[in-house]
Amino acid sequence: MESSSCCSSMVADLPQESFLQRTLERLPSTQSLKLTAEEAAPVAVVAIQRYLSEPTEGQQLDSYSYDVTITDGVWRAKCFLHPSLNHLVHRNTLRTGTDVSVRQCSFVYNERRLGHGYICIEKVESSAETSSLLPRINNPSSLPMLVKHGMERSVLLQSDVPLQVSRKHYLSLWNNDDPEGDMWISGSASPDPVLDVSKVTLLSSLESSFRASWKPLPLLVKIIHKSRLRYYGKFGLKIDYPFQTYFEVADQSGTMSLVLWNELCPEYYLRMNVGAVLYLQNYTLKQSYSNRSRPQMDHHRMKNFTSVEICLNPRNPAAVITVVSPKSILPQWGLPEVSYQFTARSELEKISNGSACDVIGLVTFVGRVERVRSKGNKAPEKYWTYRWVHSVDGTSDRPFILELFSSSQPEIFNQICPMTYLVCTQMRVCQVEGSLPYLTSSCETEIFITGYHKGQPYVSDPRVKSFIQWTKTLKDNVVLQKTAVGGHYCYPPPPRRFSQSATDTSGQVPLVAASDLKRELESLQYREHKKLAIQGEITAIRYRNDPKKVSNEPQDYSSDTHKDPADCLMSPSSDRSKANTRKRTNQLSKAVPSSLNCASSPTKRRLKYKNTKEREEQEEEESASAYEQQECQDSVASSWESSSWSKQREEISEHLRHGGLHQDSVSRRFTFDEKSALLRWSNLQPTRWTPQAAAAAAPPHTPSPGHYQLTILGINKQIAVDAAFLPVVRADDPRAVGLSQDPHDNSMLSCLSSGFLCPLHSTAGDGELTPRESEEILATARGLENTHVVCVLELCQLGGDKVEILIDKVYRVMDVTLD
């Protein structure tokens, strides 16, 4: 069979040699094609797209399916990922921008539809962490899509829709809240038709009309609040576009809820913004759904009609929606202005818990994007994405602490960075006993940053104008010294006492058995965060100067593997020398032993270079290897272990060594030059590879502040787990905000209990532990011998085999409260 009869030749001048085309030609002759390492040429992963799985007979392997688009530089091919490989996406092991080798695949025909089929990837291996193919392709979407001969007319194979034909749309890769795909229409609508406003009815008349036989008259309303998207798809639900979102709309008579359903969401959601005026026809009314959140609207000083809500449906009847262009809005329509309730940081402590407010501030810290599994959600599983942000408004020396969940505005959420002006609406106040209050998102929260403020109704608010005037007094170089991006961050700090209640478990950290911890670690998905507590005793501590080295070696992706952490790396000598010059008043009364256990010399760093500059840096580092080996003898990592640990370690059934500190665990100073790289580093892996993203290379490896690696032995002495403790050392560390800084004696136990070194350094120049300080603290570790403790652990899956396990707080048993 000639190649032209097997594959669709879309571009005449393409090179003849194509791994994907050659593979497709071989597939008809076998049920499943296995490729040797020599046959499996590397292909680049261009896109990974997620959607709700089709119902299948027997056991459902996963709630979601994945289509993976790959390229060999000649053709593109959208392939179905076999469900047994979904875990590779769950952990971001298989991701866009990398090269992989397809080692086994098959061709699957749709038996219920003519002319539809696709390649199914059944086994895949990593080839390169950073693709060598993609930099040579300016625009992967310009490459032709490889389609089997006879299927060229299939619209589905050429469109932005799933390969599984029962599903009509994709979901965002990491949550269900963000619009995803070409079907979401943005921008202004076509020119306004002539509107007949003479027969419009007021919202106040709808409540009385609800149960009567009536013909709906047109409505003319303004949007004053907008919720994030809700995806309610599930197995067996025969709705192609199961989306819903609601708005609060107003006219001169009051406010009412409006609900947008199903395929109307992709068509109108991005165009129906706060401040927009709608002309609505063919709507329906229904009794309000009481079990949902609502925005707080007392500041509007308008009557709220809450017994019924307006429904806009795609059919039965098909609603007619007109988004009126701003130039066509007339003042005689009497529509109310959108109002806000901006709150200054200096006022926050006085606001009651749960109240709503709007805030504006200059961003100083942006945490990495993390995910948390939705509670009480069964199938399909659901994740929320969120990040922590600090912003200042000049009214207080303390920042706003903001917990921002996805608000269905991914283009803004992913661009939040220090030095931008951030507006957050309808945030909920969370008062914290013994610490600073923070604000968390509600379903109605919207966020806006520099570049997105133009045309928003709040720009004329007096509080906003006052904030802008204050920012004109600032100097960028001064503010930049107080900025940070990424790293581990969690708020609020744990309470002084650990409580466990048999009746009320809300808000308390789950106390799990050490044996369950392994299951919890293995179940974590990419950037998923969990907080757990275990009880036991601390049996070993080691002070380390740098995060563990992460292997760049290719891995077999056909099955899950877990690797033991590699040996730690020492900091560059210049940083160590700088640290050695720093001094702190010794608060310890005990003498420090003059001799310390010497750790084995670390191996040389083998960083993977991608260009000439990195190659030169690598060679320069290797030339200094002998010097670094000598330095290791002078500033070794100290260690301590309990008197019984050597015997206990021989008796334990398992030692969980996953945890530790990684490059992703520590925040970095923000600079405008590294803005794109820092954003890419702190955001989630993108669903599509773009040349722009590739240009933003990952930030360079930087040595982190020293930290302690602890081994915790479970209370029944069967399982041990390693965890890192990174104390807060300096006052400008984002983690220091809201931390109770009661004086303590800098013993190992008091540092683990408080989370910080006392007192904190006031400047970034004194931002690390000196070797002397680390030794002094470690010398007190003998106080932990045979001490029963409860350890609060922060878990986060950072992608691939990287799992972050950090100690948040250690409680002695006497600090535990039982209800």
Side-chain angles (χ1 to χ4, degrees):
M1 180 181 293
E2 295 182 356
S3 61
S4 60
S5 65
C6 186
C7 299
S8 168
S9 182
M10 296 179 175
V11 179
D13 58 352
L14 282 175
Q16 294 299 306
E17 187 63 28
S18 166
F19 163 75
L20 290 175
Q21 185 174 4
R22 188 169 63 249
T23 300
L24 184 58
E25 292 170 1
R26 295 176 60 186
L27 283 174
S29 61
T30 180
Q31 185 175 2
S32 182
L33 177 64
K34 295 182 179 180
L35 299 165
T36 65
E38 293 73 22
E39 294 174 316
V43 293
V45 181
V46 176
I48 300 177
Q49 296 169 288
R50 180 179 69 109
Y51 52 97
L52 189 66
S53 296
E54 285 188 330
T56 56
E57 296 181 5
Q59 185 178 4
Q60 183 70 44
L61 289 176
D62 193 7
S63 299
Y64 300 99
S65 296
Y66 298 91
D67 292 345
V68 180
T69 301
I70 55 178
T71 181
D72 59 5
V74 182
W75 294 90
R76 281 182 301 151
K78 182 155 67 171
C79 308
F80 179 72
L81 188 69
H82 193 276
S84 64
L85 302 182
N86 284 4
H87 66 276
L88 302 178
V89 179
H90 295 166
R91 294 184 178 176
N92 200 38
T93 302
L94 177 63
R95 60 188 182 274
T96 55
T98 62
D99 286 346
V100 298
S101 295
V102 177
R103 298 298 299 274
Q104 185 172 322
C105 58
S106 60
F107 194 86
V108 179
Y109 291 91
N110 188 311
E111 297 183 11
R112 295 184 177 90
R113 176 172 296 201
L114 294 173
H116 184 72
Y118 48 81
I119 298 172
C120 176
I121 297 175
E122 298 172 342
K123 185 178 180 181
V124 63
E125 295 176 357
S126 70
S127 180
E129 290 290 303
T130 302
S131 173
S132 60
L133 285 171
L134 290 173
R136 302 197 296 266
I137 306 171
N138 291 329
N139 182 13
S141 62
S142 66
L143 295 177
M145 189 69 78
L146 185 65
V147 178
K148 189 173 179 62
H149 180 66
M151 297 183 179
E152 297 89 348
R153 297 177 61 185
S154 172
V155 176
L156 292 175
L157 294 174
Q158 306 291 340
S159 305
D160 186 35
V161 293
L163 292 173
Q164 303 288 317
V165 295
S166 69
R167 303 302 179 200
K168 306 300 183 186
H169 65 88
Y170 288 113
L171 294 166
S172 175
L173 187 56
W174 304 116
N175 67 31
N176 290 350
D177 307 306
D178 292 339
E180 174 63 35
D182 298 339
M183 69 177 184
W184 295 88
I185 301 171
S186 60
S188 58
S190 55
D192 288 342
V194 177
L195 302 178
D196 183 5
V197 298
S198 62
K199 295 182 180 180
V200 297
T201 188
L202 295 177
L203 295 175
S204 58
S205 67
L206 297 184
E207 282 193 322
S208 59
S209 306
F210 174 50
R211 298 194 182 279
S213 196
W214 66 293
K215 181 180 180 181
L217 294 173
L219 289 171
L220 190 63
V221 294
K222 179 179 285 188
I223 299 173
I224 59 174
H225 289 291
K226 177 180 180 178
S227 79
R228 64 172 170 240
L229 278 171
R230 175 176 170 256
Y231 174 74
Y232 64 95
K234 59 183 179 180
F235 302 132
L237 183 68
K238 298 186 180 300
I239 297 177
D240 290 338
Y241 302 91
F243 292 98
Q244 177 214 56
T245 188
Y246 63 87
F247 304 80
E248 301 298 327
V249 297
D251 63 13
Q252 57 188 278
S253 68
T255 69
M256 185 175 285
S257 294
L258 178 151
V259 187
L260 191 69
W261 287 96
N262 302 335
E263 54 259 51
L264 291 182
C265 288
E267 186 175 355
Y268 285 100
Y269 181 77
L270 298 181
R271 291 190 278 163
M272 292 173 59
N273 297 312
V274 170
V277 173
L278 307 177
Y279 183 75
L280 305 174
Q281 303 170 83
N282 282 15
Y283 57 90
T284 61
L285 298 176
K286 73 170 186 176
Q287 188 172 354
S288 289
Y289 180 61
S290 58
N291 192 25
R292 71 162 170 84
S293 70
R294 296 176 184 273
Q296 294 183 15
M297 300 190 295
D298 293 344
H299 61 288
H300 289 288
R301 292 184 173 84
M302 300 178 67
K303 183 173 178 56
N304 298 329
F305 304 111
T306 58
S307 63
V308 297
E309 58 191 25
I310 304 161
C311 294
L312 302 180
N313 299 294
R315 61 188 64 83
N316 301 323
V320 179
I321 306 170
T322 302
V323 181
V324 183
S325 65
K327 64 182 179 181
S328 300
I329 300 172
L330 301 177
Q332 54 263 40
W333 293 350
L335 297 175
E337 295 296 326
V338 179
S339 65
Y340 295 86
Q341 46 185 352
F342 280 98
T343 299
R345 176 60 187 86
S346 59
E347 302 168 332
L348 200 56
E349 274 79 4
K350 305 170 188 175
I351 300 178
S352 61
N353 191 60
S355 296
C357 66
D358 309 315
V359 295
I360 183 170
L362 174 67
V363 175
T364 56
F365 164 69
V366 180
R368 68 191 180 201
V369 181
E370 294 183 346
R371 305 163 70 215
V372 62
R373 201 181 301 251
S374 177
K375 295 179 181 178
N377 186 261
K378 297 182 180 178
E381 64 186 1
K382 181 174 168 183
Y383 284 86
W384 304 107
T385 54
Y386 69 99
R387 69 192 325 164
W388 289 92
V389 175
H390 291 176
S391 68
V392 294
D393 69 353
T395 68
S396 170
D397 58 357
R398 295 167 171 174
F400 288 111
I401 304 173
L402 308 170
E403 184 184 31
L404 297 181
F405 286 85
S406 169
S407 55
S408 302
Q409 300 170 281
E411 72 288 351
I412 297 178
F413 185 82
N414 292 330
Q415 291 294 318
I416 302 174
C417 66
M419 308 300 288
T420 190
Y421 301 164
L422 172 67
V423 168
C424 305
T425 65
Q426 285 291 311
M427 300 290 286
R428 295 292 192 270
V429 177
C430 300
Q431 297 290 353
V432 181
E433 183 179 356
S435 195
L436 300 180
Y438 69 99
L439 300 172
T440 188
S441 299
S442 67
C443 289
E444 301 80 30
T445 291
E446 288 194 290
I447 57 175
F448 301 94
I449 59 174
T450 303
Y452 292 85
H453 297 306
K454 185 177 180 180
Q456 296 301 328
Y458 56 74
V459 294
S460 59
D461 189 284
R463 293 269 180 131
V464 174
K465 291 182 176 181
S466 175
F467 167 79
I468 298 299
Q469 289 301 314
W470 170 73
T471 60
K472 293 178 180 178
T473 67
L474 303 176
K475 294 182 179 179
D476 281 1
N477 59 341
V478 175
V479 180
L480 279 168
Q481 293 301 312
K482 303 175 182 178
T483 60
V485 176
H488 165 265
Y489 182 90
C490 190
Y491 197 85
R496 291 180 181 274
R497 298 185 66 84
F498 185 87
S499 62
Q500 187 178 37
S501 172
T503 55
D504 181 16
T505 59
S506 61
Q508 71 181 32
V509 178
L511 184 64
V512 302
S515 57
D516 292 334
L517 188 60
K518 179 182 179 182
R519 177 177 52 80
E520 294 285 356
L521 290 168
E522 291 176 345
S523 69
L524 286 175
Q525 295 196 18
Y526 172 56
R527 287 280 183 92
E528 181 181 357
H529 174 266
K530 280 186 180 179
K531 179 180 286 192
L532 303 171
I534 63 169
Q535 54 178 326
E537 60 181 272
I538 297 170
T539 56
I541 305 175
R542 182 181 178 187
Y543 180 74
R544 292 186 167 185
N545 298 80
D546 204 27
K548 66 177 69 175
K549 187 165 88 173
V550 180
S551 173
N552 287 324
E553 295 301 316
Q555 302 167 26
D556 186 340
Y557 290 168
S558 59
S559 62
D560 278 330
T561 57
H562 294 287
K563 296 183 178 179
D564 289 342
D567 289 339
C568 69
L569 300 171
M570 300 298 289
S571 304
S573 58
S574 60
D575 289 301
R576 284 197 303 271
S577 176
K578 188 185 298 182
N580 287 332
T581 66
R582 299 180 183 131
K583 302 295 181 183
R584 181 197 300 267
T585 302
N586 179 13
Q587 297 185 337
L588 296 171
S589 58
K590 298 181 180 179
V592 181
S594 58
S595 61
L596 295 168
N597 294 328
C598 181
S600 59
S601 299
T603 58
K604 292 186 293 184
R605 249 173 280 180
R606 297 181 179 88
L607 298 177
K608 193 165 191 173
Y609 43 77
K610 293 175 282 187
N611 52 45
T612 304
K613 182 180 178 182
E614 291 189 16
R615 181 187 294 270
E616 292 172 353
E617 291 174 350
Q618 175 79 358
E619 291 171 352
E620 184 178 328
E621 185 172 9
E622 290 174 353
S623 68
S625 174
Y627 176 76
E628 288 202 8
Q629 293 292 334
Q630 180 60 44
E631 281 279 311
C632 177
Q633 304 302 317
D634 298 331
S635 57
V636 297
S638 308
S639 62
W640 165 87
E641 63 180 49
S642 69
S643 58
S644 54
W645 175 231
S646 59
K647 181 176 184 296
Q648 289 169 334
R649 92 173 89 201
E650 300 298 326
E651 299 172 348
I652 59 175
S653 60
E654 194 159 16
H655 191 161
L656 304 177
R657 302 177 184 271
H658 308 68
L661 201 71
H662 299 265
Q663 282 284 300
D664 293 349
S665 303
V666 184
S667 63
R668 303 185 181 208
R669 179 63 46 80
F670 175 78
T671 66
F672 287 110
D673 290 342
E674 291 185 310
K675 175 182 175 181
S676 296
L678 290 169
L679 284 174
R680 185 184 180 196
W681 172 64
S682 60
N683 285 331
L684 297 172
Q685 184 75 22
T687 187
R688 291 179 179 83
W689 181 89
T690 61
Q692 294 80 10
H701 176 105
T702 58
S704 76
H707 65 283
Y708 295 94
Q709 191 82 2
L710 280 71
T711 298
I712 306 164
L713 180 63
I715 193 66
N716 287 317
K717 298 179 173 52
Q718 296 177 345
I719 295 178
V721 59
D722 288 345
F725 173 58
L726 180 64
V728 177
V729 176
R730 63 180 198 271
D732 64 348
D733 187 325
R735 299 176 299 145
V737 176
L739 198 63
S740 176
Q741 297 181 23
D742 295 337
H744 63 80
D745 62 0
N746 275 352
S747 66
M748 192 79 241
L749 181 57
S750 66
C751 288
L752 289 167
S753 177
S754 66
F756 71 97
L757 220 60
C758 183
L760 292 179
H761 289 303
S762 58
T763 64
D766 288 332
E768 296 182 22
L769 280 170
T770 66
R772 179 183 176 86
E773 289 166 344
S774 66
E775 294 162 9
E776 290 172 346
I777 294 170
L778 201 56
T780 68
R782 63 174 68 93
L784 295 169
E785 184 94 26
N786 298 321
T787 301
H788 184 180
V789 295
V790 173
C791 299
V792 177
L793 305 178
E794 302 276 357
L795 316 180
C796 190
Q797 216 285 347
L798 299 177
D801 292 331
K802 293 190 295 182
V803 179
E804 178 184 87
I805 306 180
L806 299 180
I807 290 183
D808 197 12
K809 186 177 177 69
V810 171
Y811 297 90
R812 295 173 301 173
V813 174
M814 64 182 67
D815 296 324
V816 172
T817 302
L818 299 177
D819 297 334

